[in-house]
Amino acid sequence: MLRVAITERPQWRELAHQLGFHFHTIEGEPYWTEDAYYQFTLAQIEHDIEDPTEALHEMCMDAVDRVCQSDALLHQLNIPEQMWGVIRASWHDGQPHLYGRMDFAYSGNGPAKLLELNYDTPTSIYEAGFFQWLWLEQVIEQRLLPAHADQFNSIQERMIAALAHIGQRLERNGSAPPALHFASIKAHEEDRATVAYLQDCALQAGLNAPFIHIEDIGYQPNTDHGCFVDLENRPIRALFKLYPWEEMSDDLFGELLPMMQTHWFEPPWKAILSNKGILPLLWQWHEGHPNLLPAYFDTSDGTSLTPGWVRKPFFSREGSNIELMTTSGQYEAVDGPYTDNPRILQAYHPLPRFGERHALIGSWVVGDKACGIGIREDVGKITKDSSCFVPHAIV
């Protein structure tokens, strides 16, 4: 694994704006950067990233099954009891999921170490699935990379195929052409761009893909079971929501969720895997696995911990409220809103460092298949929402 300097494409920023990638710069700081790329060998991708991703995904599916069978584990994960039946039903009914991302520490040597799962509301899929592939095609055309250069990236093809499969299921339930609503919160450019990309994939898969903001979803009680509706009062029979389950269950309509016949994407059982409490359970059930780090439920006050730990809230995103202490005693933390969550402790494992930058690999799973990576880098040891996205190539 190498970080290699490369010439930027001329006018790539103008191209990004034309393609709707308006958040390539955030508050004056670069988010997308292409003055360098990360280089891998095919063996590194296949043996160290792709194979472990699929093996860990299978372990995660087994973990969901175990948790669904246990009130004690659902309680330990701090999942509201009103959601237990919804979660179990979605799992036992085989409700399909769409995608997820595993975050790894990997330097090119030794096994990749799973840091966490982003299996409910993962972002950066537009950058990974589309914009970095376009980068590869164009730098090859400009002879900045050799013609045989490749990329671990079948994300978009897998996404369209997975959505087509979902469309077939919805069509059997009476919707032709099948309609899958898409939703995100207002005033969040990155979330809206992510959902717009998924809408485009859904259209290519033959679905009807209307958009609605989460805040605008309504409720219509005058039906057999009641249903959520959009601004045109159309029933929302299936919904992709870039909005976390733990917040949905606390919202105004949260108490209605168990009564709805909505097909959710991601399905309610994803609430188990989006919870960082799954990491101690995976370690408990697969202790010593080469791709896992020791992890435990945090019952300490922090004063007696030996250096070499990371503390994470059950529910947090983009590095918020994570703190760590390296084995040499260096402390780092990120503020955030997730202050009232139970927490886990995970063994500290350093991200590979290239100059002043630490690199994190996000490995994408779509329809149960590992299909691509995206790399984020930061001068800090904790990857945040402001961390840069850097493309990669297999050479």
Side-chain angles (χ1 to χ4, degrees):
M1 180 177 172
L2 304 172
R3 190 180 192 273
V4 182
I6 192 171
T7 302
E8 293 187 355
R9 293 169 294 168
Q11 289 85 46
W12 72 260
R13 292 172 181 80
E14 290 81 355
L15 177 63
H17 277 288
Q18 292 171 16
L19 296 173
F21 188 11
H22 302 299
F23 58 97
H24 62 75
T25 301
I26 301 175
E27 297 180 355
E29 296 296 325
Y31 168 66
W32 170 273
T33 60
E34 58 174 68
D35 57 354
Y37 70 95
Y38 282 92
Q39 180 177 300
F40 298 85
T41 67
L42 183 60
Q44 287 173 322
I45 291 294
E46 290 182 341
H47 302 311
D48 295 346
I49 302 295
E50 184 176 13
D51 289 348
T53 296
E54 295 201 350
L56 289 168
H57 178 73
E58 290 302 313
M59 289 163 51
C60 289
M61 297 300 100
D62 174 70
V64 173
D65 193 58
R66 294 192 192 202
V67 172
C68 283
Q69 295 180 43
S70 169
D71 287 358
L73 290 175
L74 287 164
H75 178 74
Q76 189 172 26
L77 292 178
N78 205 39
I79 294 174
E81 192 168 349
Q82 72 182 48
M83 291 296 296
W84 291 4
V86 178
I87 289 170
R88 283 172 164 147
S90 70
W91 177 251
H92 295 312
D93 292 347
Q95 291 184 19
H97 66 114
L98 189 56
Y99 74 140
R101 193 187 75 236
M102 297 183 185
D103 287 343
F104 287 118
Y106 175 69
S107 65
N109 298 302
K113 297 293 185 179
L114 178 67
L115 301 181
E116 62 185 58
L117 299 163
N118 297 274
Y119 261 46
D120 184 20
T121 58
T123 54
S124 78
I125 194 165
Y126 170 82
E127 304 92 289
F130 176 74
F131 204 72
Q132 75 165 340
W133 181 257
L134 181 62
W135 167 86
L136 179 72
E137 291 182 326
Q138 293 185 343
V139 295
I140 290 175
E141 289 173 1
Q142 296 166 19
R143 299 186 178 180
L144 298 173
L145 282 179
H148 66 266
D150 202 354
Q151 195 174 85
F152 180 34
N153 191 356
S154 60
I155 295 170
Q156 183 160 304
E157 296 94 320
R158 292 281 186 186
M159 181 63 69
I160 293 170
L163 285 164
H165 175 70
I166 287 169
Q168 292 169 3
R169 289 179 61 109
L170 295 177
E171 196 168 24
R172 288 197 296 269
N173 290 319
S175 177
L180 174 60
H181 280 74
F182 286 79
S184 63
I185 62 173
K186 295 179 179 179
H188 198 295
E189 187 174 33
E190 182 182 0
D191 283 8
R192 182 65 189 95
T194 297
V195 170
Y197 172 63
L198 295 174
Q199 281 179 275
D200 183 68
C201 290
L203 292 172
Q204 293 183 60
L207 280 73
N208 183 14
F211 176 81
I212 184 170
H213 285 109
I214 287 286
E215 297 91 334
D216 291 335
I217 293 175
Y219 172 64
Q220 173 55 263
N222 299 322
T223 59
D224 290 343
H225 299 284
C227 66
F228 294 123
V229 294
D230 63 17
L231 289 173
E232 297 178 24
N233 215 36
R234 295 175 299 188
I236 299 176
R237 304 298 186 191
L239 176 69
F240 173 90
K241 83 290 176 299
L242 197 64
Y243 193 64
W245 274 109
E246 69 270 13
E247 294 188 26
M248 282 184 66
S249 63
D250 282 340
D251 281 351
L252 178 63
F253 290 155
E255 63 184 23
L256 301 175
L257 292 173
M259 297 179 282
M260 295 296 102
Q261 301 299 309
T262 308
H263 295 268
W264 301 102
F265 301 95
E266 296 298 311
W269 59 261
K270 279 293 191 79
I272 294 170
L273 296 180
S274 65
N275 185 318
K276 291 181 179 62
I278 199 66
L279 297 170
L281 294 179
L282 287 173
W283 181 252
Q284 176 184 325
W285 296 329
H286 305 279
E287 184 173 348
H289 190 283
N291 298 114
L292 294 177
L293 291 168
Y296 310 92
F297 293 99
D298 182 16
T299 58
S300 71
D301 60 6
T303 59
S304 59
L305 293 176
T306 302
W309 52 263
V310 183
R311 179 184 280 117
K312 303 177 180 181
F314 278 17
F315 307 108
S316 76
R317 285 164 172 78
E318 305 285 6
S320 294
N321 299 99
I322 290 178
E323 55 180 330
L324 63 80
M325 183 174 288
T326 70
T327 51
S328 61
Q330 295 175 293
Y331 177 79
E332 189 171 313
V334 174
D335 291 333
Y338 306 101
T339 56
D340 58 350
N341 280 205
R343 299 173 299 182
I344 69 157
L345 285 171
Q346 186 182 56
Y348 173 71
H349 187 88
L351 294 173
R353 183 173 174 177
F354 299 84
E356 295 300 314
R357 297 180 176 274
H358 303 84
L360 175 86
I361 294 178
S363 183
W364 289 94
V365 175
V366 178
D368 296 310
K369 294 292 185 181
C371 56
I373 60 172
I375 300 173
R376 304 283 297 278
E377 61 178 23
D378 200 288
V379 294
K381 298 177 178 64
I382 301 172
T383 307
K384 304 178 286 293
D385 57 354
S386 58
S387 301
C388 295
F389 191 104
V390 184
H392 79 278
I394 301 169
V395 180

